[in-house]
């Protein structure tokens, strides 16, 4: 059976969400073609010949792009069975079925895709028997990247020495133990996480190194959900490839709890740690159920610096509970802590997203400002009680888009954001350009969105 797997957007990475199911489906006898539309055009002939076309939807942007593409795919091949799989598939099941989806798969989707192919091969019809969300403990197989574009086509690491390093991507675990209200993982995994077998992770990395990777991004929602598993992998990785570097994502809460592991991260090649700080306002952090405080964030900054690690914080800067003074306070704190070069400018413009199934809908404070669900936007509308905040968010988003197009530095963009936040009145923006050269902070050269 001919199968087409489509990724529309995966933050500049070679799509793991195509490579992993491609291996499962090939093992089941399917003929698989993969297309990453962030880097290449859709193969129309392959779509016309396919019995199954499956869209990978791991995030909001990817789902919206896939939704726009579905009518075109349907036009190319009206007989094809359409499937949407990934984190955003089950929470948007009704909308995706309205686009013609016959099967929706969330959670651990690989076995479900194999079941679907076998079912279509038997000519079975009717409602899907596969669970909408599967948390089955799978025995993973090594991803098959042979049908994907070369790693050199994707985002690269800009290292501390200014050199560009070809970057690979893998996952050592999926799901998350935690229940942050705004997180899209929570409605699907509900506090569960699943380990990918160590040997599978290591072999996947070996193959990417052979294909030219000099840096690896671990895409686990929290690399320290299974800290022993994670530590064993990076130790083995460093033994085999002493010059290979990597980056991970870890909660502030876990950076504090497992501070004794931070030095080992640095010693095994970790260049930076991304952490979803979200806010420096303790009330907002409590509403989001983040599990950390402003003080915890500052302690994590100190611990990472002591260990020789770069902390790359991310934020949800605009929420219904944000205040103009609070936004200004965030900017001042980033400058005070010499964190301006560590923060991607888009993080200064992120607006809270309220998707279907979100735990935010449990909050009376959220319901008080919530509008209708917008199927096209795949989120609930909300308007800030202070119109200045919504206008500021729009202006900063536009500023960041323009500035990044002109290759402005993070310090330059930060100063422009500061001026917008203070409406061109005193105080003047701090001069952060001479505190730390941007080239000293490692980062991936494609800004990411949710």
């Amino acid at each position: 059976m001919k199968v087409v797997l489509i990724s529309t957007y995966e933050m500049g990475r070679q799509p793991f969400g195509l490579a992993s199911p491609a291996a499962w489906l090939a093992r089941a006898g399917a003929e698989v073609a993969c297309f990453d539309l962030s880097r290449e055009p859709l193969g129309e002939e392959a779509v016309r010949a396919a019995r199954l076309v499956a869209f990978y939807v791991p995030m909001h942007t990817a789902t919206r792009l896939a939704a726009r593409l579905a009518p075109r795919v349907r036009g190319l091949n009206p007989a094809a069975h359409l499937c949407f799989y990934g984190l955003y598939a089950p929470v948007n099941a009704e909308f995706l079925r309205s686009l013609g989806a016959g099967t929706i798969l969330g959670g651990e989707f690989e076995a479900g895709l194999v079941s679907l192919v076998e079912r279509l091969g038997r000519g079975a019809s009717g409602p899907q028997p596969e669970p909408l969300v599967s948390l089955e403990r799978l025995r993973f197989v090594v991803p098959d990247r042979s049908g994907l574009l070369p790693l050199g086509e994707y985002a690269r690491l800009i290292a501390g020495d200014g050199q560009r390093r070809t970057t690979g991507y893998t996952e050592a675990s999926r799901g998350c133990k935690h229940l942050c209200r705004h997180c899209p993982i929570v409605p699907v995994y509900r506090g569960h996480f699943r380990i990918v077998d160590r040997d599978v992770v290591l072999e996947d990395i070996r193959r990417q190194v052979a294909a030219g990777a000099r840096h690896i991004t671990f895409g686990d929602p929290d690399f320290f959900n299974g800290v022993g598993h994670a530590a064993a992998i990076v130790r083995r990785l460093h033994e085999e490839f002493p010059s290979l570097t990597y980056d991970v994502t870890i909660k502030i809460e876990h950076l504090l709890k497992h501070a004794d592991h931070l030095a080992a991260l640095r010693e095994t090649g970790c260049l930076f740690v991304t952490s979803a700080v979200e806010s420096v306002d303790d009330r907002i952090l409590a509403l989001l159920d983040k599990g950390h405080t402003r003080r915890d964030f500052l302690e994590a900054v100190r611990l990472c610096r002591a260990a020789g690690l770069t902390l790359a914080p991310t934020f949800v800067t605009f929420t219904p509970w944000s205040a103009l003074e609070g936004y200004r306070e965030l900017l001042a704190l980033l400058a005070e802590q010499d964190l301006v070069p560590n923060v991607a400018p888009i993080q200064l413009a992120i607006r809270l997203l309220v998707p279907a199934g979100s735990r935010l809908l449990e909050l009376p404070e959220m319901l008080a400002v919530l509008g209708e669900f917008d199927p096209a936007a795949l989120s609930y509308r909300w308007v800030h009680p202070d119109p200045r905040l919504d206008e500021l968010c729009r202006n900063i988003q536009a500023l960041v888009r323009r500035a990044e197009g002109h290759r402005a530095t993070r310090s330059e963009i930060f100063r422009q954001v500061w001026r917008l936040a203070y409406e061109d009145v005193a105080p003047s923006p701090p001069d952060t350009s001479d505190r730390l050269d941007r080239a000293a902070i490692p980062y991936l050269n494609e800004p990411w969105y949710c």
Side-chain angles (χ1 to χ4, degrees):
M1 180 185 300
K2 293 185 177 181
V3 177
V4 169
L5 302 179
I6 297 174
S7 172
T8 55
Y9 176 69
E10 201 169 353
M11 302 190 294
R13 306 160 174 165
Q14 189 189 62
F16 184 90
L18 300 190
S20 179
W24 284 68
L25 293 172
R27 191 175 64 168
E31 182 181 334
V32 184
C34 297
F35 296 97
D36 177 4
L37 302 194
S38 74
R39 294 293 190 274
E40 63 183 325
L42 179 65
E44 294 190 351
E45 289 306 313
V47 170
R48 289 190 181 98
R51 177 69 182 89
L52 167 64
V53 179
F55 300 87
Y56 178 49
V57 287
M59 62 193 73
H60 182 258
T61 298
T63 310
R64 293 187 67 182
L65 292 172
R68 293 176 197 166
L69 181 64
R72 179 183 167 196
V73 168
R74 176 61 75 207
L76 289 169
N77 187 345
H81 186 97
L82 299 188
C83 170
F84 289 79
Y85 67 98
L87 197 62
Y88 264 75
V91 295
N92 293 292
E94 183 178 353
F95 171 67
L96 297 176
R97 291 197 192 282
S98 76
L99 300 176
T103 302
I104 306 288
L105 301 171
E108 306 303 281
F109 50 74
E110 285 90 345
L113 284 168
V114 171
S115 171
L116 170 58
V117 164
E118 292 173 347
R119 174 162 57 92
L120 293 176
R122 296 192 303 270
S125 59
Q128 73 174 72
E130 299 84 10
L132 192 67
V133 173
S134 171
L135 298 181
E136 181 183 357
R137 296 181 185 274
L138 301 180
R139 186 65 182 268
F140 289 95
V141 299
V142 179
D144 179 1
R145 300 175 182 274
S146 61
L148 302 178
L149 294 176
L151 291 175
E153 298 291 325
Y154 291 91
R156 298 193 179 199
L157 175 87
I158 309 300
D161 55 10
Q163 294 185 354
R164 294 171 178 252
R165 297 184 193 172
T166 299
T167 298
Y169 174 88
T170 195
E171 297 175 1
S173 65
R174 302 203 294 206
C176 187
K177 290 180 177 179
H178 300 274
L179 299 171
C180 305
R181 289 188 191 278
H182 63 304
C183 179
I185 297 170
V186 173
V188 176
Y189 281 89
R190 299 185 181 278
H192 297 85
F193 86 109
R194 294 290 178 257
I195 292 295
V196 181
D197 295 341
R198 187 186 309 170
D199 290 343
V200 170
V201 178
L202 290 168
E203 180 59 25
D204 185 30
I205 294 173
R206 288 186 194 104
R207 295 182 184 184
Q208 292 184 75
V209 170
R214 297 297 175 262
H215 179 87
I216 296 292
T217 290
F218 285 95
D220 308 45
D222 188 336
F223 197 59
F224 277 180
N225 265 325
V227 66
H229 173 66
I233 285 174
V234 296
R235 280 197 303 269
R236 283 278 303 278
L237 185 63
H238 187 63
E239 289 169 3
E240 289 192 44
F241 306 106
S243 64
L244 187 70
T245 58
Y246 65 91
D247 68 271
V248 297
T249 297
I250 303 173
K251 278 175 67 70
I252 294 295
E253 179 180 351
H254 279 169
L255 290 173
L256 273 58
K257 182 178 180 180
H258 302 298
D260 55 329
H261 284 273
L262 298 185
L265 288 182
R266 183 68 185 94
E267 290 162 5
T268 54
C270 184
L271 290 186
F272 64 93
V273 176
T274 300
S275 192
V277 177
E278 314 302 40
S279 178
V280 295
D281 182 316
D282 283 342
R283 176 174 178 264
I284 294 175
L285 289 169
L287 288 167
L288 298 180
D289 202 4
K290 278 302 299 177
H292 70 257
T293 64
R294 172 195 177 107
R295 176 180 289 184
D296 293 335
F297 165 48
L298 295 177
E299 177 63 6
V301 172
R302 187 191 70 79
L303 289 170
C304 285
R305 283 179 172 155
L309 290 170
T310 294
L311 182 65
T314 64
F315 298 96
V316 179
T317 35
F318 292 92
T319 75
W321 317 291
S322 304
L324 184 56
E325 284 307 313
Y327 188 80
R328 292 169 176 171
E329 184 179 354
L330 169 64
L331 298 182
L333 184 66
L334 293 178
E336 174 190 307
Q337 295 291 319
D338 292 343
L339 287 171
V340 172
N342 300 48
V343 179
I346 191 59
Q347 294 302 318
L348 302 176
I350 297 293
R351 192 173 191 270
L352 181 67
L353 193 67
V354 188
S358 173
R359 283 195 65 218
L360 290 165
L361 301 174
E362 300 170 1
L363 289 174
E365 294 89 344
M366 186 79 248
L367 298 178
V369 299
L370 203 65
E372 294 182 351
F373 185 78
D374 182 346
L378 300 180
S379 64
Y380 285 90
R381 297 181 181 274
W382 62 269
V383 176
H384 199 285
D386 182 349
R388 295 178 300 169
L389 270 295
D390 282 339
E391 182 181 8
L392 180 63
C393 181
R394 288 191 294 269
N395 290 341
I396 293 176
Q397 287 177 350
L399 163 65
V400 170
R401 284 194 294 269
R402 289 195 306 272
E404 289 186 337
H406 289 91
R407 299 184 180 278
T409 68
R410 290 186 175 186
S411 289
E412 290 167 346
I413 298 172
F414 180 84
R415 289 195 291 275
Q416 294 178 58
V417 169
W418 181 287
R419 292 188 185 99
L420 280 177
Y422 278 95
E423 302 170 331
D424 293 323
V425 298
S428 299
D431 184 3
T432 60
S433 58
D434 60 351
R435 296 187 183 183
L436 187 62
D437 191 312
R438 181 67 191 92
I441 300 295
Y443 67 103
L444 296 175
N445 67 346
E446 180 159 334
W448 60 268
Y449 302 82
C450 61

